[in-house]
Amino acid sequence: MTSLHTYRTGDGMPLVLLHAFPVDHRMWDDVAAALPGARAVHAVDLPGTPGNAEQLPPPSIDTSALRVADALAGAGIERAVVAGLSMGGYVALALAELRPALVAGLGLVDTKSVADAPEAAANRLRIADAAESSGTVDVVRSMPGTLLGETTRAARPELADRVGGWIGEQPPAGVAWSQRAMAARPDRTRVLADFAGPVTVVVGDEDGLTPLEQAQHMADAAPGALLVVVPRAGHLSAVEDPGTVADALEELASRAEQSA
Ligand code: MLT
C-alpha cells in the first residue's frame, strides 16, 4: 500500500520525500536530480497511488505516516530527514508526532499545520464521493490550474501538461481515500513546537492553496525554523523551481546531520 522509490543511495543522513495530492513520487524527480551532495534520496508513494490502491484501510493521514515508517524500516532506515509537499507535509507532521525518533529534520513545503475548516472538509468529501461514484479522476483533472503558480502557467504550459498526466494516472479510489484522510486530519501545529530537530518551511510566493501566512504560522511555531520563499512559484514549488527547493532541503539535511 506504499512503495519506496530510491533515487540514489549514499552516505550520511538520508532524505525522504513525500508527495502532494493528487500525484505521486514523480513530482520529486527534478528535485532529486538537482540535489547537491551524496546522501541517499528516497521518495514514498503514499496509499492510494498507482499500485498502492488495493485493499485500502480506513482513510487516515496517520495510517499513511505509519506506512511510511514501515517502508523505511523495510529499507533499514532508522532515521532520516523527511520533507513533504502539501499532503506530504501533513504526513510528515504525523510521522514526527507518531515516530519522533525516525525524523531527524522536517521539511514542510507548500503545506500547513492547521486542520481544515468545516466547509473545506465538506468539499473534500464531495470530491471523494464524485471520484468514487464516477470511477474517474475527472473531478480533480483541472487541478494543475490551481497547483501551479500564475508565472509557471503563463511561461511553461508544458508543466501543466506534465502534472495533468500524473493526475490522470491516479486511481479514483486513491483520490477518494486521500481526500477523506485529509478531511479528518487534526491540527498539528503543536507538533512543531515539540519537535527537537531542525525545520525548514518552504513556500512558493504564488502559492494560493497554502499561502505564505500558513508557512509563517508553521515557522513561528517551530523554534529556530528557517523560512524559504520561492519567487515566481506556486503550490508545486518543487516542480516549478526544483533547484531552489533542492538547495533548501540539502541545507536542512546538513543541519540535521550536524545536530544528530
Ligand atoms: C496537495 O497539494 O497535496 C493538496 O493541495 C493538499 C490539500 O488539498 O490540502
Side-chain angles (χ1 to χ4, degrees):
M1 211 211 334
T2 48
S3 41
L4 190 73
H5 180 85
T6 297
Y7 283 110
R8 74 179 188 217
T9 54
D11 299 324
M13 186 69 73
L15 176 63
V16 174
L17 303 168
L18 305 178
H19 61 80
F21 168 89
V23 295
D24 53 46
H25 81 269
R26 290 173 289 180
M27 60 148 282
W28 290 112
D29 286 357
D30 293 353
V31 168
L35 270 165
R39 70 186 69 258
V41 182
H42 309 274
V44 178
D45 276 325
L46 296 169
T49 50
N52 297 304
E54 301 298 316
Q55 296 180 329
L56 288 163
S60 157
I61 289 293
D62 290 17
T63 299
S64 291
L66 294 173
R67 298 300 162 124
V68 170
D70 289 347
L72 297 181
I77 298 169
E78 292 173 357
R79 201 155 159 76
V81 168
V82 178
L85 193 146
S86 199
M87 181 177 73
Y90 309 155
V91 177
L93 282 169
L95 195 60
E97 179 175 14
L98 300 171
R99 294 286 185 272
L102 182 53
V103 184
L106 261 181
L108 297 167
V109 186
D110 299 296
T111 189
K112 59 189 174 199
S113 57
V114 296
D116 285 342
E119 58 277 14
N123 191 46
R124 290 192 192 282
L125 301 183
R126 185 190 62 76
I127 293 171
D129 290 348
E132 206 165 57
S133 62
S134 69
T136 72
V137 296
D138 288 351
V139 66
V140 291
R141 230 180 259 284
S142 65
M143 276 189 73
T146 50
L147 294 172
L148 297 170
E150 192 183 343
T151 304
T152 301
R153 291 200 311 274
R156 291 181 292 162
E158 69 281 3
L159 273 193
D161 294 341
R162 189 172 174 213
V163 174
W166 298 332
I167 292 173
E169 290 173 22
Q170 300 309 305
V175 166
W177 191 90
S178 297
Q179 282 290 25
R180 290 176 181 139
M182 288 191 282
R185 76 189 195 285
D187 186 324
R188 285 204 154 97
T189 306
R190 71 180 166 73
V191 174
L192 285 165
D194 295 345
F195 184 66
V199 174
T200 294
V201 177
V202 180
V203 64
D205 70 353
E206 297 177 8
D207 184 345
L209 295 178
T210 48
L212 179 60
E213 307 86 81
Q214 295 291 354
Q216 190 70 59
H217 177 72
M218 293 188 291
D220 289 347
L226 274 188
L227 175 60
V228 176
V229 179
V230 186
R232 296 173 297 283
H235 186 62
L236 285 188
S237 62
V239 175
E240 299 173 61
D241 187 350
T244 299
V245 174
D247 288 348
L249 296 182
E250 173 55 29
E251 190 280 336
L252 168 68
S254 309
R255 263 188 301 146
E257 224 155 47
Q258 282 156 22
S259 63

